[in-house]
Amino acid sequence: MRYGVADGRVVADVGGRVVAVGDVISDPVFEQPSLNAFMAQGPDAWRDTKTTVLGAQDPEKRDSARPERMGEMGMPFEVADYVDFYSSIHHATNLGRLFRPDSEPLMPNWRHLPVGYHGRAGTVVVSGTPVVRPSGLVQTEGGVVRQPCARLDIELEVGFVVGVGSERNAPIAVDDADKHVFGVVLVNDWSARDIQAFEYQPLGPNLGKSFLTSISPWVVPLDELRPFFRAAPQQTPPPDAGLRGTRDWAIDMHLEIERNGTVISETNFVDLYWTFAQQLAHMTSNGANVRTGDLFASGTVSGPEPGSYGSLIELGAGFLDDGDTIVLRGWCGDGDDRIDLGDVVGTVKP
């Protein structure tokens, strides 16, 4: 395993400038099988490492280290825990109307806290891992039967990776989020809608979600995205004091979904109702701690218009067929200021 720092206009396609950390820095943390030991060192070490590597590397050697020569991309970090949120008001409203057409689309708690559930860290995989259609119990006209998922869906999400953990019974304040979050990945939280529909009441998602979650192979440091931080949407009613912050925590990030070579949705992360900083604060508000390598995802990111939804069930695009390939993309900025997150690619197998 070798660790690279991508420097250039684009992160996923770095213009031939990928620098191997081990060529410049001799540190035991870069001899480990994941980035966890490095991430645990904290913000000062993260910034110093990037400065050292990019400042010391020979430009000609950089240009020879093209991404296509790097070999197979692996999991960049070891996932400790995984929490998936449900923080897009547009997505929650759309699904509420679909699942509960005769009721209010948003549940009474939704505007008071970032709703989430605990996922499976062991089934978080790197982009490119084949997607095997799961089987499970579903309700049919003939009764409850076990069968392959017939309503396989995607969820376009943004994930945040914890670098510096916290102590139990020491909640993290909203405005301290960047002391703990190392970086950002794109997430496709694959969903078996028919399995999920039968199992999710009263305790929420389980096997319909836990079979696979794909992430991008690059972790973009949170520091790199600061120029794209924006004010979050106004929240009504005002959140509990433990969920209030004074800084801008929304991120102006363009997102898109491609299915079999055609872009089917484009949206933006900036208007997510609950920010990642509020999600982190909420996770620890009951006294729970976070650990290096914890991954928490935003939940499906959907915009207000049909062409900006983050799942097939909302788009009315039908569910996935065997052989379908989904690519999720995300980037901040344009032109020379553009920063790309690595693509998340998955092809459905029988």
Side-chain angles (χ1 to χ4, degrees):
M1 173 75 77
R2 283 167 63 80
Y3 304 103
V5 176
D7 173 40
R9 184 177 62 83
V10 181
V11 171
D13 179 8
V14 296
R17 302 175 71 187
V18 178
V19 184
V21 176
D23 292 346
V24 179
I25 298 177
S26 177
D27 190 315
V29 299
F30 298 117
E31 299 172 4
Q32 304 301 313
S34 75
L35 283 172
N36 290 48
F38 169 63
M39 295 192 304
Q41 292 184 332
D44 289 342
W46 305 337
R47 298 186 191 106
D48 290 347
T49 296
K50 180 183 176 182
T51 299
T52 300
V53 171
L54 298 184
Q57 188 68 23
D58 183 344
E60 292 185 3
K61 192 170 185 179
R62 283 190 197 174
D63 291 340
S64 67
R66 299 190 63 81
E68 58 267 25
R69 298 176 188 169
M70 293 179 66
E72 182 179 352
M73 300 292 282
M75 277 290 292
F77 63 97
E78 182 179 351
V79 182
D81 278 314
Y82 171 50
V83 174
D84 190 29
F85 284 97
Y86 189 54
S87 293
S88 164
I89 194 168
H90 304 301
H91 176 69
T93 299
N94 291 340
L95 289 198
R97 288 172 178 158
L98 286 170
F99 295 159
R100 299 180 299 276
D102 299 324
S103 305
E104 287 294 319
L106 294 180
M107 299 296 284
N109 64 346
W110 198 91
R111 289 180 180 269
H112 291 273
L113 54 85
V115 174
Y117 74 94
H118 199 281
R120 293 289 296 274
T123 50
V124 178
V125 301
V126 72
S127 170
T129 301
V131 181
V132 177
R133 186 180 298 274
S135 293
L137 296 177
V138 299
Q139 179 72 58
T140 70
E141 292 182 358
V144 178
V145 299
R146 182 179 299 277
Q147 64 183 35
C149 168
R151 304 180 70 196
L152 184 60
D153 201 354
I154 62 169
E155 291 191 341
L156 168 64
E157 306 193 20
V158 178
F160 296 84
V161 184
V162 173
V164 178
S166 65
E167 299 294 328
R168 280 186 297 155
N169 302 313
I172 296 172
V174 171
D175 284 341
D176 286 340
D178 53 354
K179 297 178 182 178
H180 297 271
V181 173
F182 170 69
V184 181
V185 294
L186 282 186
V187 175
N188 189 342
D189 201 35
W190 305 87
S191 299
R193 298 296 184 192
D194 43 2
I195 299 172
Q196 180 182 357
F198 184 64
E199 72 174 3
Y200 87 103
Q201 294 183 350
L203 295 182
N206 189 18
L207 300 186
K209 303 281 291 181
S210 66
F211 62 96
L212 199 69
T213 301
S214 300
I215 68 169
S216 51
W218 292 96
V219 185
V220 179
L222 194 65
D223 254 2
E224 299 300 302
L225 302 183
R226 287 186 189 278
F228 309 102
F229 282 19
R230 303 288 185 266
Q234 183 175 354
Q235 295 175 323
T236 305
D240 173 78
L243 293 172
R244 296 177 196 168
T246 62
R247 300 167 60 187
D248 292 344
W249 291 112
I251 304 175
D252 183 8
M253 182 187 299
H254 303 277
L255 300 168
E256 70 177 27
I257 303 170
E258 177 186 290
R259 182 179 187 179
N260 298 330
T262 300
V263 174
I264 61 172
S265 182
E266 298 178 78
T267 190
N268 197 300
F269 188 62
V270 75
D271 65 351
L272 206 73
Y273 189 89
W274 294 103
T275 68
F276 77 91
Q278 290 176 309
Q279 292 167 352
L280 180 61
H282 181 63
M283 281 196 298
T284 62
S285 64
N286 67 343
N289 63 304
V290 292
R291 299 180 292 169
T292 299
D294 278 5
L295 171 67
F296 61 101
S298 61
T300 305
V301 182
S302 292
E305 304 298 333
S308 63
Y309 298 158
S311 64
L312 299 181
I313 193 170
E314 295 172 88
L315 290 165
F319 295 101
L320 292 170
D321 297 319
D322 291 349
D324 279 357
T325 296
I326 294 291
V327 182
L328 305 185
R329 295 189 180 92
W331 66 92
C332 295
D334 295 297
D336 292 341
D337 296 325
R338 174 165 162 156
I339 297 176
D340 271 75
L341 284 79
D343 294 354
V344 182
V345 182
T347 298
V348 181
K349 305 297 182 183

